[in-house]
Amino acid sequence: MIPVYINGAACISVQDTLSENFSQNLSPENSAQVVKAIEPNYKEFIPPALIRRMSKTVKMSSVASHYALQEAGIENLDAIIVGTGMGCSQDSEKFLKNVIDNKEEFLTPTFFIQSTHNTVAGQIALGLQCHAYNFTYVNTSSSLEFSFLDAKLQINDGEAENILVGSTDEQTERTMELYKLNKTIKKEENLPVDYLNSTTDGVIWGEGSSFFVLGKDKTENSYAQLTDIQIRSRLNPDEAQSFIEGFLAKNKITNHDIDAIILGFSGDATSDVYYRKAMDLFQNSALLYYKHLSGEFNTASGFSTFMACHILKNQEIPEVMMINSLKKEEIKNILLYNHLGGNDHSLVLLEKA
């Protein structure tokens, strides 16, 4: 099987992840119900006339993909694959508001056209004048993992050499109101949240955009090797350990070979039990978490993948991510485990390039 390498990585998130020394300035976000991404100056990347017509998620993705491609030194892509949970929800809300305000009459189609989930991948392709395979996965919290799986299969089968893979989700005012009403988002009285020892349900909601360039060739800029991905839509908490052990066995390694595991603790007491079960398997590994830095959202795993890439490349783990104090001399294998509200469980195995 052909190895697949991550040769470029960029992230726009609640943290200032576009800056060079971002890992030294990571700051936990545990006191607000909703946390917003730190956005760049879009005028440096996108013509002003286009900015006005772009939703936040399209703008974030355009810039993040630009940085990832620049880092990888790639101009010609064989595919663009994007994973998103909510798509361009800002434009969806604007269209629905127009429908109500105008009593279903005299509607402009612009917001409807731009509200489709595949707008992001399409806009990136238009900007790059790329006519290759263009696909969008909408699979809630495993959208990025399905995108990775598609890209990996194409490279393994010799159908592609360089693929841009991304994940993106934005916040919208009305959706956040609904999430507060249905208790997806934590109540104000339950803040600040202790992510590792929470006794209340609900999460702090975030947003962001992460893009990666996958290639069949290892380069000087390679971050990691994307070894394997596995996805399961439903699991009982008692099945979490066997799910992980089966995945490791499939890759002919054991829990002792995992130097660090990044867990998606969200502060939701009910669903975080899966991560506690997983922790018990890795007594001799560095235990890390990340959603206190990114917030919870459908494609939050893009942030953890970005952090894992930098950990493997720089061989340094930010203190703010550590659950235990164990640090190995060399970090070769990192396992990422994520789900959203107890559904759509994913495992991603990354190796040092």
Side-chain angles (χ1 to χ4, degrees), residues 23-144:
S23 60
Q24 299 170 18
N25 301 306
L26 295 171
S27 175
E29 301 284 350
N30 61 1
S31 299
Q33 289 177 293
V34 175
V35 286
K36 295 187 178 296
I38 297 173
E39 298 178 83
N41 181 4
Y42 293 122
K43 291 179 182 178
E44 295 178 9
F45 306 93
I46 307 167
L50 292 177
I51 291 175
R52 288 185 288 106
R53 296 198 295 270
M54 286 183 172
S55 67
K56 188 176 184 177
T57 195
V58 174
K59 290 186 286 189
M60 290 193 298
S61 299
S62 297
V63 175
S65 61
H66 169 83
Y67 273 104
L69 288 167
Q70 188 179 58
E71 199 173 69
I74 297 295
E75 293 183 1
N76 299 315
L77 291 166
D78 300 308
I80 297 172
I81 307 172
V82 174
T84 180
M86 299 291 287
C88 299
S89 46
Q90 285 185 1
D91 284 328
S92 298
E93 282 194 7
K94 286 176 184 176
F95 175 73
L96 292 172
K97 188 175 185 301
N98 281 346
V99 170
I100 295 167
D101 291 346
N102 296 310
K103 298 179 181 179
E104 302 181 23
E105 297 179 337
F106 314 116
L107 300 174
T108 56
T110 308
F111 290 134
F112 176 74
I113 293 166
Q114 294 177 343
S115 70
T116 57
H117 289 73
N118 61 357
T119 298
V120 174
Q123 287 285 355
I124 292 171
L126 283 170
L128 296 172
Q129 291 296 297
C130 176
H131 302 280
Y133 177 91
N134 192 287
F135 206 85
T136 300
Y137 284 90
V138 186
N139 298 83
T140 62
S141 66
S142 53
S143 299
L144 174 62

Side-chain angles (χ1 to χ4, degrees), residues 159-258:
E159 295 178 10
E161 292 187 5
N162 294 293
I163 299 177
L164 179 67
V165 178
S167 64
T168 185
D169 274 298
E170 65 186 2
Q171 296 167 356
T172 54
E173 189 176 336
R174 182 58 179 155
T175 302
M176 293 304 101
E177 288 174 3
L178 295 172
Y179 279 1
K180 289 173 184 176
L181 286 172
N182 73 4
K183 300 176 183 177
T184 296
I185 292 175
K186 274 197 188 297
K187 295 179 180 178
E188 280 194 41
E189 56 263 35
N190 294 330
L191 298 172
V193 59
D194 180 349
Y195 278 81
L196 298 177
N197 302 292
S198 176
T199 57
T200 58
D201 289 341
V203 301
I204 289 174
W205 203 261
E207 63 181 351
S209 180
S210 302
F211 274 77
F212 309 90
V213 177
L214 271 56
K216 72 178 185 68
D217 297 321
K218 182 180 175 181
T219 69
E220 291 180 0
N221 293 323
S222 293
Y223 282 94
Q225 181 179 330
L226 178 62
T227 305
D228 200 9
I229 306 113
Q230 188 160 322
I231 301 155
R232 185 87 65 83
S233 61
R234 297 287 185 274
L235 272 182
N236 292 321
D238 293 335
E239 296 175 316
Q241 291 188 357
S242 59
F243 173 53
I244 294 170
E245 287 174 326
F247 176 70
L248 297 178
K250 176 188 166 191
N251 287 283
K252 297 177 181 175
I253 58 174
T254 69
N255 52 344
H256 299 291
D257 298 307
I258 300 298

